[in-house]
Amino acid sequence: MKNFREKADLIWKVADLLRGDYKQSDYGKVILPMTVLRRLDCVLAPTKQKVLDYLPKIAALKDNAKDIALNKIAGFNFHNKSQFDFDKLVADPNNVALNLRNYINGFSAGAREIIEYFNFDDQIDRMDKADILFRVVSEFKKIDLSDMDSMEMGYVFEELIRKFAEQSNETAGEHFTPREVIRLMVNVLFNEDREMLTKEGIVKTLYDPACGTGGMLSIGEEYVKELNPKAELKVFGQEINPESYAICKSDMLIKGQNPSNIKFGNTFTVDGLESEKFDYMLSNPPFGVDWKKAEKTIKAEAEKKGMGGRFGAGLPRINDGSLLFLQHMISKMKSTGSRVGIVFNGSPLFTGAAESGESNIRKWIIENDWLEAIIALPDQLFYNTGISTYVWIVTNHKSKERKGKIQLINATGVKDEELFKDGKLEFNRFWQKMDRSLGNKRKKIAENGNTKGIGFITQLYGDFRENEFVKIYPNEFFGYWRVTVEQPLKENGKVVKTKGQPKPDTSLRDYENIPFLKKNKEGKLVPQSIDAYFKAEVKPHLPEAWIDESKTKIGYEINFTKYFYEFKPLRSLAEIKADILALEQKTLETEKTILE
């Protein structure tokens, strides 16, 4: 990826020309659209003259027919029929603003719309008045982006956006998914269907409701093409950020995908692909971002449509809309079977008490047998946040051996054998320390070298066998009853009764979470009843207590860390004493050396 770093650094240096005339937080308003323009210019360069030469031959055709003909000559789903390119723009410094607008207007409609989402016309005026427009265009003309593949350009854009986000102090929720995380998600998502995807003429669809610059869509497409060059994966997405949306569409244009499949706007308030269903879905929605702006629309849909809409299972707390994205994606599963991969932080696993919005959503997913696997990833993988993350795999078409079960994979590396270099932890089987940190990203999941992160995790998933990194539980394992335990109110030592029944003492009220399953003497999970648990665990300590059955609730949670916890016995006093004495001896020797 050396090429990507060199290009990103060259582009970032152009921002120095804006210093004084622009705030640092506004650099992206110029640099991002200029990078897109230069990328389109480089891609079209080999056929640009052919397009211009062909123009007179199609003068009599209608606009739509002209566009089709010129796209064919250009070799892409877009073209530019302006006389200008970056070379000619730089050749006429006195008219650069006028000529740049002419050049942009020469793009076919789909490409022109991309530039419009940057509101770039305002920046042309601003740079022209500040007398820096020519210099900016000249510097971009020196940067050759023709040798960049789609993945490298994705890295360039994400690196630039990350830097601009840092300049404007954007929240940790506005982050981008590292490519190795996407590769892992794609590997696992497609793993069960690899044989089917090798069939000749296979056509499938992939959707991301928060697609950003299109990284997940691009890597999904690359995976399928590598597996089967004759397969076709049509990609779809929606994005709320105009700059990211424009970058994603430009990438789709260049790769020959249909750019109209990428929609702009808030997925929750206006579903741009409302009637569509998809074979595969991938997403990394913002972590812990509230949904206040869409609250009215979401609540109205939930109340009006219920389970016939997207949010009938429940609404999470207002400060985290993660599970809304998952419900939205589940609503787009095909009846014949779809697979979903989504990245969450820890909150959706366990936040929310029994019968809260979050718990009810988990209950709905698990009781429908849609949750296939959860993979706990190492921390410090993302650019703008160091928190731990989890990949959920959800499907309505589980294989026979997976039915009624949920696979948990602990790929954090905490339990794994740790490998050291010069006394410092450098890598283990799941992650590798980066040579240079990128924001909060200090680790990467590797594919080779001393770690086998992506391949190893994919194999753990595919093998579907329990080991030190994998636990497999029946769906019911994650369910529990939340019961209210009452004790009688007493006055002068006597139980107070109402209508012949003991009156509860609210000050003594307590609660118990009773799991649906328990381990028997052989260590196997078996069903348990509220009554049996109560008699065994509560009655011996509170003989007068009873359960108020009218208040019993059902909850679901996934306490991931607890399932992989291993008790480590405390060190003996003798060991601790020996360490202290050794430390004291070392200190005395050091002092003696200093005095000498």
Side-chain angles (χ1 to χ4, degrees), residues 295-344:
E295 181 179 7
K296 188 177 178 182
T297 305
I298 289 170
K299 285 186 173 179
E301 179 176 331
E303 290 168 10
K304 185 178 178 182
K305 295 185 177 180
M307 298 307 294
R310 296 177 293 171
F311 311 116
L315 299 179
R317 60 198 64 199
I318 199 76
N319 61 1
D320 188 357
S322 300
L323 285 169
L324 292 175
F325 275 100
L326 182 51
Q327 285 188 88
H328 167 78
M329 293 166 83
I330 289 172
S331 77
K332 294 190 173 294
M333 293 197 301
K334 291 182 173 181
S335 59
T336 51
S338 296
R339 294 180 59 76
V340 174
I342 189 167
V343 183
F344 284 146

Side-chain angles (χ1 to χ4, degrees), residues 1 5 151 155 158 176-188 215-216 219 343 377-383 391 430-434 438 441-448 451 453-455 457-458:
M1 281 296 171
R5 295 198 183 282
M151 185 179 294
Y155 267 119
E158 290 187 5
F176 298 91
T177 317
R179 284 302 200 261
E180 80 270 17
V181 176
I182 304 176
R183 281 196 205 97
L184 171 63
M185 292 176 69
V186 165
N187 275 18
V188 174
M216 293 212 171
I219 292 181
V343 183
L377 299 179
D379 60 6
Q380 301 177 51
L381 281 184
F382 289 81
Y383 304 124
V391 175
F430 295 106
W431 58 263
Q432 186 171 355
K433 188 177 178 182
M434 293 178 65
L438 287 172
K441 182 172 173 57
R442 298 179 181 89
K443 297 176 183 176
K444 63 181 178 180
I445 305 175
E447 291 185 83
N448 45 41
T451 64
I454 293 175
I457 297 167
T458 306

Side-chain angles (χ1 to χ4, degrees), residues 461-532:
Y461 163 80
D463 287 347
F464 196 61
R465 288 197 302 265
E466 285 203 329
N467 54 47
E468 61 180 311
F469 307 114
V470 178
K471 304 286 185 186
I472 299 170
Y473 295 110
N475 293 343
E476 297 80 14
F477 176 77
F478 304 98
Y480 64 92
W481 295 282
R482 172 78 162 175
V483 300
T484 303
V485 178
E486 302 283 15
Q487 295 184 63
L489 177 67
K490 292 182 178 181
E491 290 180 3
N492 301 320
K494 291 185 177 182
V495 174
V496 177
K497 293 187 177 182
T498 305
K499 296 180 180 179
Q501 297 298 321
K503 185 176 181 180
D505 185 342
T506 55
S507 68
L508 297 176
R509 182 174 292 157
D510 204 356
Y511 303 91
E512 287 277 339
N513 286 350
I514 304 174
F516 289 174
L517 304 180
K518 69 172 184 177
K519 283 188 178 180
N520 63 14
K521 291 178 182 178
E522 290 77 38
K524 292 184 178 180
L525 289 169
V526 295
Q528 72 173 335
S529 68
I530 295 174
D531 188 54

Side-chain angles (χ1 to χ4, degrees), residues 121-380:
D121 198 61
D122 294 342
Q123 306 311 320
I124 294 175
D125 270 340
R126 186 173 171 182
M127 285 189 286
D128 194 33
K129 288 173 183 174
D131 199 25
I132 56 173
L133 179 60
F134 175 73
R135 283 187 291 164
V136 168
V137 173
S138 296
E139 288 304 311
F140 267 99
K141 184 250 177 189
K142 297 174 187 174
I143 302 170
D144 182 9
L145 298 178
S146 62
D147 57 345
M148 304 287 285
D149 63 28
S150 180
M151 185 179 294
E152 287 178 319
M153 277 310 301
Y155 267 119
V156 168
F157 281 121
E158 290 187 5
E159 176 72 355
L160 292 172
I161 293 172
R162 185 184 67 79
K163 287 186 174 185
F164 293 135
E166 285 177 357
Q167 299 284 0
S168 58
N169 295 317
E170 287 188 19
T171 64
E174 300 298 323
H175 61 277
F176 298 91
T177 317
R179 284 302 200 261
E180 80 270 17
V181 176
I182 304 176
R183 281 196 205 97
L184 171 63
M185 292 176 69
V186 165
N187 275 18
V188 174
L189 189 74
F190 290 117
N191 190 74
E192 295 277 292
D193 293 346
R194 280 179 63 89
E195 187 177 337
M196 177 266 290
L197 289 169
T198 58
K199 292 178 181 177
E200 191 167 346
I202 194 84
V203 179
K204 294 291 180 180
T205 54
L206 174 66
Y207 169 64
D208 183 348
C211 63
T213 57
M216 293 212 171
L217 300 177
S218 294
I219 292 181
E221 187 184 6
E222 286 163 10
Y223 178 96
V224 172
K225 284 292 182 188
E226 286 174 11
L227 192 65
N228 179 6
K230 293 183 178 180
E232 183 180 1
L233 186 70
K234 295 181 178 179
V235 301
F236 298 77
Q238 186 157 341
E239 173 56 32
I240 194 171
N241 179 280
E243 288 85 4
S244 298
Y245 164 76
I247 290 167
C248 182
K249 284 200 80 161
S250 68
D251 190 41
M252 295 304 120
L253 267 177
I254 290 167
K255 292 193 303 185
Q257 287 278 358
N258 183 355
S260 65
N261 289 347
I262 309 300
K263 305 297 182 182
F264 178 72
N266 187 323
T267 307
F268 297 149
T269 53
V270 181
D271 181 2
L273 296 156
E274 187 174 4
S275 59
E276 299 284 350
K277 305 283 184 182
F278 305 99
D279 299 299
Y280 303 100
M281 288 170 261
L282 280 170
S283 196
N284 176 20
F287 300 151
V289 172
D290 70 56
W291 45 282
K292 281 180 183 175
K293 290 181 181 177
E295 181 179 7
K296 188 177 178 182
T297 305
I298 289 170
K299 285 186 173 179
E301 179 176 331
E303 290 168 10
K304 185 178 178 182
K305 295 185 177 180
M307 298 307 294
R310 296 177 293 171
F311 311 116
L315 299 179
R317 60 198 64 199
I318 199 76
N319 61 1
D320 188 357
S322 300
L323 285 169
L324 292 175
F325 275 100
L326 182 51
Q327 285 188 88
H328 167 78
M329 293 166 83
I330 289 172
S331 77
K332 294 190 173 294
M333 293 197 301
K334 291 182 173 181
S335 59
T336 51
S338 296
R339 294 180 59 76
V340 174
I342 189 167
V343 183
F344 284 146
N345 62 10
S347 178
L349 291 169
F350 51 77
T351 298
E355 296 190 11
S356 65
E358 292 92 345
S359 180
N360 284 342
I361 295 166
R362 289 190 292 267
K363 177 177 183 286
W364 173 65
I365 293 169
I366 293 172
E367 289 190 349
N368 275 291
D369 199 20
W370 292 334
L371 183 56
E372 182 175 273
I374 296 177
I375 304 168
L377 299 179
D379 60 6
Q380 301 177 51

